[in-house]
Amino acid sequence: MVGRAAWGVRRSEVDHSQSPTLGPEVFAQRIERLQAELKTRKLDLFIAEPSTNFQYFTGYNPGRSERLILLMIPVTGTPALICPSFEVERIKRNAAINDVRGWEEDQNPWKLVKKAGQEMKPPRRKGSATIEPSTSYQSFLHIEDQLGGWKFSNGSGVTERLRIIKSPEEIALIRQAIGVTEASIAATFAQLVVGMRERDVATLLSREMASRGSSGGGLVQFGPSSALPHGGPSAGALARETVVLIDAGSRVEGYTSDITRTIWFGDAPADEFKKVFNIVHDAQTAAIENAKPFTTQCQDVDRAARKVITDAGYGQFFTHRLGHGMGMDGHEVPYMVEGNETRLEPAMVSTDEPGIYQLNKFGVRIEDDCVMTDNGVEVLSHRPAKL
């Protein structure tokens, strides 16, 4: 059985005191970049409810409720944040926005939105506003009703372009989240005992992450359950001489990780498990080695990994895309999938997670987190060795 020492990061190696500071200057720079992007796209205003994108630009996500909170960032000038009056102090303390406008409980908050829209509208022509893509339909209807003289568009292109390229401080936080996840998976594998249930191990995994100062958790699958890429907990108890798969992620200062490890729980891995594991490992290597900045498309790395698995006779058992982008969201652009012609650029972070899933037998997935550099892919996590 794979033991504790084989899985890398010890608790003492995860040092949150070294976290980069995401201070007001970081968010000021992000707003400047947003305003430059708005100008390039001939847009006048960005509007967002609390969301990951709201947090990206302000440093805080107060959450959504029936009470309106809305961020409005014009192409030039000062952003405004509209919220309940009793939330003004909380938001001022946490969000890097100076103009916070409160509305009283007996007031219509959309009147504040209307006033702000009038202030931000360009003179003598219609304004062009772009809406953060997760904004609720109900809120959009209110925005459309209150902002006369404006036309509206989907803001996903704006936010995706800004967030797809990670800054050095973002990559540093992702590295820390990876360290927590690797250490927690290692500690969890080391505590496996016969008779445990998948839910028990998942609880243990979350506890290990919490002990390292991070929220998070993961999917735990034994034996045949591991052949379901997103399978839920099964009723079976852990027995010896079987596969254990853990797919986990943790969060540090708003940034996440995504790691999958598959091991053999027992004395010696079965020959078929070793064969499949090594094919998956080779597929992951092919994706890494074939990715070059500015030239390789996302679909190319999927193809490189898929070819290895297909040539080995297991193509029908690789049933999902190769990977996805990662940052503040566990899954974000770019997606490593057939049909995606986006070219990889330096500072794009993504997962490389090929898998082979044989129903009623077992599944193997190896998932590592990578960043594109000027010279090729750097693997941020610690890849397991071939068997």
Side-chain angles (χ1 to χ4, degrees), residues 244-273:
V244 177
L245 183 152
I246 294 180
D247 183 344
S250 58
R251 189 170 292 276
V252 172
E253 299 295 323
Y255 286 83
T256 190
S257 59
D258 197 355
I259 306 287
T260 303
R261 296 290 179 255
T262 310
I263 67 164
W264 184 264
F265 178 73
D267 295 323
D271 290 342
E272 187 179 9
F273 175 78

Side-chain angles (χ1 to χ4, degrees), residues 50-122:
S51 57
T52 305
N53 285 315
F54 184 108
Q55 183 177 354
Y56 180 79
F57 295 115
T58 70
Y60 184 54
N61 184 355
R64 296 187 191 183
S65 72
E66 76 280 7
R67 293 182 173 96
L68 177 70
I69 298 177
L70 200 70
L71 174 66
M72 303 175 71
I73 303 179
V75 66
T76 59
T78 303
L81 201 161
I82 294 164
C83 68
S85 291
F86 67 85
E87 295 277 33
V88 167
E89 186 59 31
R90 174 171 74 112
I91 288 176
K92 279 187 173 180
R93 291 185 182 190
N94 291 284
I97 299 292
N98 293 321
D99 184 0
V100 181
R101 307 180 185 186
W103 55 272
E104 301 298 337
E105 291 277 56
D106 59 351
Q107 293 178 328
N108 180 351
W110 294 104
K111 298 305 179 185
L112 285 181
V113 176
K114 181 176 182 177
K115 184 174 184 297
Q118 290 170 339
E119 296 169 2
M120 296 174 179
K121 182 182 173 299

Side-chain angles (χ1 to χ4, degrees), residues 261 284 350-352 366-370 379 381-384:
R261 296 290 179 255
Q284 190 188 54
S350 62
T351 65
D352 182 355
I366 305 171
E367 179 180 16
D368 284 280
D369 301 333
C370 306
V379 182
S381 45
H382 298 79
R383 296 181 66 199

Side-chain angles (χ1 to χ4, degrees), residues 191-226:
Q191 296 174 71
L192 293 177
V193 294
V194 171
M196 282 182 135
R197 304 281 177 171
E198 290 173 349
R199 289 187 187 275
D200 299 332
V201 180
T203 299
L204 174 60
L205 175 67
S206 294
R207 190 160 60 239
E208 288 292 339
M209 290 180 178
S211 74
R212 293 169 173 82
S214 176
S215 61
L219 185 67
V220 177
Q221 296 168 276
F222 302 156
S225 173
S226 64

Side-chain angles (χ1 to χ4, degrees), residues 34 37-38 41 43 45-47 53 57 129-134 152-162:
L34 170 63
E37 189 73 16
L38 293 175
R41 294 172 181 259
L43 297 167
L45 178 63
F46 174 80
I47 300 175
N53 285 315
F57 295 115
T130 193
I131 310 296
E132 197 279 329
S134 72
F152 303 95
S153 63
N154 184 338
S156 59
V158 174
T159 55
E160 288 176 0
R161 182 59 215 167
L162 293 174

